[in-house]
Amino acid sequence: MSEPREAARYPDSRHRRKRCSAPGVRACRLRGVRLLFRALFLVGASVLSAATAAAYAGAQETGAIAGRVVDAATLQPLPGAVVRLRPVEDGGAGRAGWATAADSAGEYRFPAVPAGSYQLRISRLGYLPAHIQVELRGEALTRISAGLEVEPVKLAPLEVRSRGTPPFLRKTAIIDSAGSGRLLLSPLRGPEHLVLDIRSLTQDELVEAVTLAETDLFRALQRTPGVTTRDDFTATLWTRGASWDQTRVFLDGMPLYNPTHAGWLFSAVNPDALGEAVFYPGPRPARFGEGAAAVLDLHARSGADELEEGVQGRGELSLASARLALSGAAPDGALNWMVAGRRTYVDLLTRMAGAATAQEDLYIPYDFSDVVARVDGKLGGFDYAATGIVERDHLRGGIPGILQANRGRWGNQSGRATVGVPLGPLRLGLSIGQTRFRASILRDERVRLRGDEPTLPPLESTIRHRTLRAELSPRGESPGWVVGFEVVRDTVGYEGPFSLLGDLAVVLPRDSTPVNNLTLGSSLRYRALWAEKRLAFGPLALETGLRVESGDPVLNGGDVRLGPRLATSLEVGASTQLSAGWSRTWQYTQDIAPVAGPLGPQLHLTHLWVLAQTAGYAAVRSDVVSAGVERWLHGNWIVGVNAYRRWAAGVEVPNPDSGRVVPDRDPSVQASNDAYGFELLLRQQNERWSGSLGYTLGFSTMRAEVFEPDTARFEFPAPADVRHALDAMLFANVGNGVRLGGAFTYGSGVPFTRLILPDEGEDPPVVRLGEANAMRTPAYASLDLVAEITRTVGTWDVTAYAQLRNALGRNNAVTYAGSTGCAATRGMEGECGDGVIDRFEPGIPRLPLVGVRFTF
């Protein structure tokens, strides 16, 4: 009998063919696992094995095979596809087997099939047939779904040029959850993930998010359920009621600290450099340290992703920046490379405008840039990869009307190198990496200060993360288990002014003396050992994991910190999946305030980062639980519902005690955070149009104790507590390369603590604080529209787009800017209400934007 042809397929840019032999997948997942994980997973595996054995004990001699047949490129069902099941006995000649046709939804079923080995053949006119080996055991339902590729027709020779693969293509992997090699076709996450609230972004989702000025990864995530932000001016992510510093961003395993440009306005990771972006808002793998609320796992793409030899490229020109990514691969796979760069040209344009009009005040001496590079390949039996990123903001002088006599640089530099060593059926990965964040603000003494414009005080802030890591796993794309070990050293330093209240008051960390400047410095060393394993019991899949960290003791964690993880997924019928998960995470670095003074609505140059052990600060211990259900509906509709809860302790928050701000006041205290809610996502996608609707109802509460001047307990909404959030997106292909779309976002008010400025003539001036987060900003709503047209120009694909931000022209004044007492405000006493006028900064007005994306 000849070798069976390719198995179930899932579309990617190269239409790679995947073998879907159920026995082969099961053997691959279980190879070498029992001895290595016997001690770690003995109890859980024993209980599940006993339950499974009991279930199989009563099994009958017949079972059922069912599944779904779809077009591999469009995911549309293929009614009428012929499905033949043939026993593998004496070359298949012993019995004739069975045959059926897929119904209007692409579904097929063989209800009563004796246990044994079979070959499944799925065919349809105009498509390449699929051949799949099936091992049927007992009465359990075996699901086998497949995507068929269009059968090529031989034509006259025609020279064509590939455009290369767009970024953010989901990995194509086979889930062995039913022991049958079922292909999971879900637009919400990659098929290798069990927990349903995990998001795996695609290029289409990035474009359809209608982000500010250019495609922006962080702003696209803000359109997903459970993720919000304060206002139009921030690309930062509030995940399920937690602040931005509790969402850790990793690029190829290395953390990045606040990777944003222009005072948080744009993300600092070029999406053209990425091949995968996975967001974990809940339970996450044990290999991740830190990220008390969420982890954004980014992977730089390889030059091997392209379809043909030579240099491939893509880029974008927008009103914010220009970017270009180039990549290529050697024919033998020994060297694949990719480099992607981006730079704003605001400084260049304003310099030219100032020179043309003879107005020097037009020049803005500020720019941002970032470069991501990757090389990888295989040499002999070894594989290697190295990734690096340099992203920075550069201020070369004062900005008229905002600040004067300043120079500065801030941003991340990160790199990691990995070598994979084959050890028989296993792979040992060895890596070394470092991330360095630095913010440096200097005062230009050559410039004479004027009283009508602010200047930033000097500061120096650094974070350094260094790691050595080793991982052992079976060779292959989807290993069933992994064991890892790493040594980590974190260092944090700061020297400069500090104020939780901007420029209005200067207060200091606990145990410090009342001086204007603050100096902090600390390091933390620890070791981490983790292990993960996936088990399958019929329709039930289970992942267990444990991360153990030990080293320097920390407040709230001691010498040894355990981070267990458990995730499970259950297939119910042909189109429904259930999941649940829990994980514990330890986070050692957090920011407690923006520093360097405000540049505008919520725009600051950097944060004050602190490290556990420093001046009484603690580690953040976070437990996250989530459960969800996902169901395919008729016509490629999919609906998902997730519920979550997070308990976090050791979170540093501003002092919630109200009253006068005095120099010896503790600026921040340790608090616990309790967040819970549910998320709904409805999505549909086909070749003509796509749309999604997401809604989040969430609650996030802080609890803290203050011991000076008297002991008091406080309970108040978290600063990122957005109770209601709604996101809707719709995109339509109207033909001839034209697409029209829009995105609508609504968010309820954001909590804030009143900061009441001194009355006019008050001596000495006194700043007063209201009750902690007792007030809320007005609600936010914005409709953003986009139109784009794609044309082929020679060997280039060019897409021109036009955006209209805030098409409804709403005055989204949601950025709190302070309060003034009625006694200090003349002519507005009738608007004071409770004696205080709250002031808010307006959001982005109705704003047209244009840009161009291209590939070659």
Side-chain angles (χ1 to χ4, degrees):
M1 178 177 176
S2 61
E3 178 71 12
R5 294 189 61 189
E6 297 164 31
R9 301 174 178 89
Y10 186 91
D12 67 5
S13 60
R14 290 172 291 179
H15 300 291
R16 292 179 175 173
R17 301 177 175 180
K18 306 284 184 179
R19 187 172 302 278
C20 192
S21 170
V25 172
R26 188 176 186 89
C28 178
R29 291 179 177 277
L30 297 178
R31 184 182 305 150
V33 172
R34 295 178 179 174
L35 293 178
L36 187 59
F37 280 84
R38 187 181 299 274
L40 189 58
F41 300 104
L42 180 60
V43 176
S46 298
V47 173
L48 290 172
S49 297
T52 305
Y56 286 154
Q60 300 176 1
E61 294 184 357
T62 62
I65 298 176
R68 191 170 187 238
V69 186
V70 299
D71 184 293
T74 66
L75 304 187
Q76 296 295 319
L78 293 180
V82 178
V83 185
R84 293 184 174 87
L85 185 67
R86 201 174 186 183
V88 182
E89 294 180 358
D90 300 326
R95 286 182 279 174
W98 301 264
T100 187
D103 61 17
S104 60
E107 298 284 345
Y108 72 90
R109 185 182 184 90
F110 295 107
V113 181
S117 298
Y118 294 88
Q119 182 181 96
L120 188 70
R121 186 180 189 273
I122 305 175
S123 62
R124 191 176 189 271
L125 183 63
Y127 290 83
L128 290 170
H131 296 77
I132 304 169
Q133 291 293 114
V134 182
E135 186 73 24
L136 185 61
R137 299 176 179 176
E139 63 181 357
L141 173 65
T142 299
R143 291 201 54 82
I144 302 178
S145 298
L148 300 185
E149 296 177 0
V150 175
E151 184 175 14
V153 178
K154 186 175 181 179
L155 301 174
L158 177 65
E159 182 179 355
V160 296
R161 180 179 175 86
S162 168
R163 301 289 183 255
T165 61
F168 306 123
L169 283 176
R170 278 182 289 269
K171 288 184 177 179
T172 61
I174 296 174
I175 293 292
D176 194 23
S177 59
S180 60
R182 176 181 183 269
L183 273 175
L184 181 61
L185 309 177
S186 172
L188 300 182
R189 68 196 182 286
E192 66 268 31
H193 305 296
L194 295 186
V195 182
L196 295 176
D197 60 1
I198 295 172
R199 320 284 190 222
S200 186
L201 268 69
T202 66
Q203 172 73 1
D204 284 342
E205 291 166 334
L206 188 68
V207 171
E208 293 171 7
V210 195
T211 53
L212 180 64
E214 61 183 10
T215 49
D216 189 296
L217 176 62
F218 293 177
R219 288 183 176 271
L221 279 170
Q222 291 174 0
R223 305 279 195 187
T224 62
V227 182
T228 57
T229 193
R230 179 179 295 276
D231 52 37
D232 289 321
F233 300 100
T234 52
T236 58
L237 308 176
W238 287 354
T239 305
R240 292 175 171 175
S243 56
W244 167 227
D245 64 308
Q246 294 185 43
T247 295
R248 188 66 77 238
V249 179
F250 290 92
L251 178 61
D252 280 355
M254 298 304 299
L256 304 177
Y257 299 93
N258 188 33
T260 58
H261 287 314
W264 314 351
L265 194 61
F266 303 102
S267 67
V269 181
N270 185 346
D272 292 335
L274 301 179
E276 187 179 25
V278 182
F279 184 60
Y280 299 86
R284 75 291 306 267
R287 67 179 181 274
F288 292 116
E290 301 220 326
V295 164
L296 177 57
D297 185 26
L298 307 178
H299 293 271
R301 62 186 178 89
S302 169
D305 291 339
E306 307 296 353
L307 295 182
E308 63 178 33
E309 297 179 17
V311 176
Q312 310 287 305
R314 62 175 58 93
E316 184 170 355
L317 296 174
S318 72
L319 295 181
S321 68
R323 66 194 198 204
L324 177 65
L326 301 174
S327 59
D332 58 0
L335 176 63
N336 312 306
W337 61 273
M338 182 279 302
V339 61
R342 173 173 57 165
R343 191 190 191 278
T344 185
Y345 35 72
V346 171
D347 57 332
L348 304 178
L349 294 180
T350 56
R351 183 188 292 274
M352 290 188 296
T357 61
Q359 299 182 40
E360 295 183 359
D361 288 348
L362 292 180
Y363 173 54
I364 300 177
Y366 163 81
D367 67 83
F368 67 77
S369 60
D370 51 70
V371 177
V372 181
R374 175 186 170 95
V375 294
D376 62 85
K378 294 183 178 181
L379 296 174
F382 296 81
D383 61 87
Y384 70 92
T387 303
I389 180 174
V390 177
E391 58 92 0
R392 72 169 191 176
D393 290 54
H394 188 194
L395 179 66
R396 300 185 300 278
I399 301 177
I402 298 180
L403 54 86
Q404 59 176 325
N406 283 119
R407 295 178 179 272
R409 293 186 180 186
W410 57 96
N412 287 276
Q413 297 180 9
S414 180
R416 181 185 180 189
T418 301
V419 175
V421 181
L423 299 176
L426 305 179
R427 176 187 181 273
L428 175 63
L430 304 173
S431 64
I432 182 172
Q434 173 177 281
T435 294
R436 182 173 182 261
F437 171 85
R438 183 187 180 191
S440 178
I441 306 296
L442 303 175
R443 179 175 292 170
D444 192 344
E445 301 296 341
R446 298 170 298 177
V447 178
R448 184 176 179 179
L449 298 178
R450 295 179 295 178
D452 58 342
E453 292 185 3
T455 185
L456 301 179
L459 69 83
E460 187 79 18
S461 177
T462 58
I463 305 173
R464 192 186 298 268
H465 174 91
R466 285 164 285 190
T467 180
L468 292 170
R469 175 179 296 194
E471 286 188 353
L472 184 67
S473 63
R475 299 171 68 178
E477 291 186 1
S478 301
W481 58 268
V482 62
V483 174
F485 176 78
E486 69 176 331
V487 179
V488 180
R489 182 180 181 185
D490 288 333
T491 304
V492 171
Y494 178 83
E495 184 174 0
F498 172 68
S499 170
L500 288 180
L501 309 176
D503 293 334
L504 301 175
V506 175
V507 288
L508 302 170
R510 61 177 65 90
D511 301 330
S512 61
T513 57
V515 295
N516 290 332
N517 276 1
L518 168 69
T519 300
L520 293 175
S522 181
S523 65
L524 177 68
R525 299 176 179 85
Y526 63 92
R527 298 163 297 277
L529 174 65
W530 71 91
E532 293 179 335
K533 185 181 188 302
R534 175 173 291 194
L535 304 170
F537 304 93
L540 176 68
L542 179 70
E543 284 184 348
T544 56
L546 177 65
R547 182 181 178 93
V548 182
E549 298 175 347
S550 65
D552 294 341
V554 296
L555 292 177
N556 199 40
D559 298 328
V560 178
R561 284 86 64 183
L562 301 181
R565 181 196 186 242
L566 179 65
T568 183
S569 176
L570 177 65
E571 301 288 341
V572 180
S575 56
T576 304
Q577 185 172 359
L578 308 176
S579 80
W582 163 63
S583 68
R584 170 172 289 184
T585 303
W586 297 89
Q587 178 174 309
Y588 303 111
T589 54
Q590 57 179 314
D591 78 71
I592 61 175
V595 293
L599 300 181
Q602 295 299 314
L603 302 182
H604 293 77
L605 301 186
T606 185
H607 297 74
L608 173 58
W609 291 85
V610 297
L611 182 64
Q613 290 188 317
T614 305
Y617 297 109
V620 181
R621 185 190 71 243
S622 176
D623 289 87
V624 182
V625 177
S626 71
V629 57
E630 178 182 288
R631 182 174 178 83
W632 284 91
L633 307 177
H634 181 72
N636 270 352
W637 285 91
I638 187 170
V639 61
V641 179
N642 290 288
Y644 68 88
R645 186 150 193 170
R646 183 183 67 254
W647 298 269
V651 181
E652 203 72 21
V653 298
N655 192 329
D657 200 1
S658 60
R660 300 176 58 180
V661 177
V662 295
D664 59 350
R665 169 192 174 96
D666 281 341
S668 62
V669 297
Q670 292 174 17
S672 61
N673 179 212
D674 184 8
Y676 60 93
F678 80 91
E679 302 157 359
L680 170 67
L681 180 61
L682 180 66
R683 184 176 178 86
Q684 205 274 357
Q685 185 169 7
N686 57 45
E687 61 183 5
R688 294 297 305 275
W689 69 277
S690 62
S692 66
L693 176 67
Y695 170 73
T696 302
L697 174 64
F699 302 87
S700 184
T701 303
M702 292 289 185
R703 296 179 177 86
E705 285 188 340
V706 176
F707 301 99
E708 296 290 343
D710 298 314
T711 301
R713 292 179 174 85
F714 296 87
E715 182 173 330
F716 52 94
D721 177 50
V722 179
R723 298 285 172 83
H724 302 274
L726 176 70
D727 290 282
M729 289 178 283
L730 181 65
F731 243 80
N733 297 320
V734 298
N736 198 26
V738 178
R739 295 209 306 167
L740 303 176
F744 176 78
T745 294
Y746 168 85
S748 56
V750 177
F752 69 89
T753 300
R754 271 179 168 166
L755 180 66
I756 305 173
L757 305 183
D759 293 336
E760 184 177 354
E762 184 176 2
D763 188 22
V766 177
V767 177
R768 297 174 177 84
L769 291 176
E771 185 178 349
N773 286 347
M775 310 299 295
R776 286 186 179 267
T777 65
Y780 172 90
S782 180
L783 174 63
D784 306 314
L785 304 176
V786 66
E788 62 180 41
I789 180 170
T790 301
R791 290 289 183 267
T792 299
V793 182
T795 60
W796 292 48
D797 284 340
V798 180
T799 299
Y801 61 86
Q803 293 182 356
L804 182 61
R805 297 284 303 187
N806 192 16
L808 301 179
R810 282 182 54 93
N811 181 26
N812 286 311
V814 298
T815 305
Y816 176 65
S819 302
T820 304
C822 289
T825 307
R826 298 180 181 179
M828 300 182 62
E829 288 79 359
E831 302 179 16
C832 286
D834 58 357
V836 174
I837 295 178
D838 298 320
R839 302 187 181 279
F840 301 91
E841 297 286 351
I844 293 178
R846 186 182 288 114
L847 181 65
L849 300 164
V850 295
V852 178
R853 296 189 301 273
F854 55 87
T855 61
F856 60 88

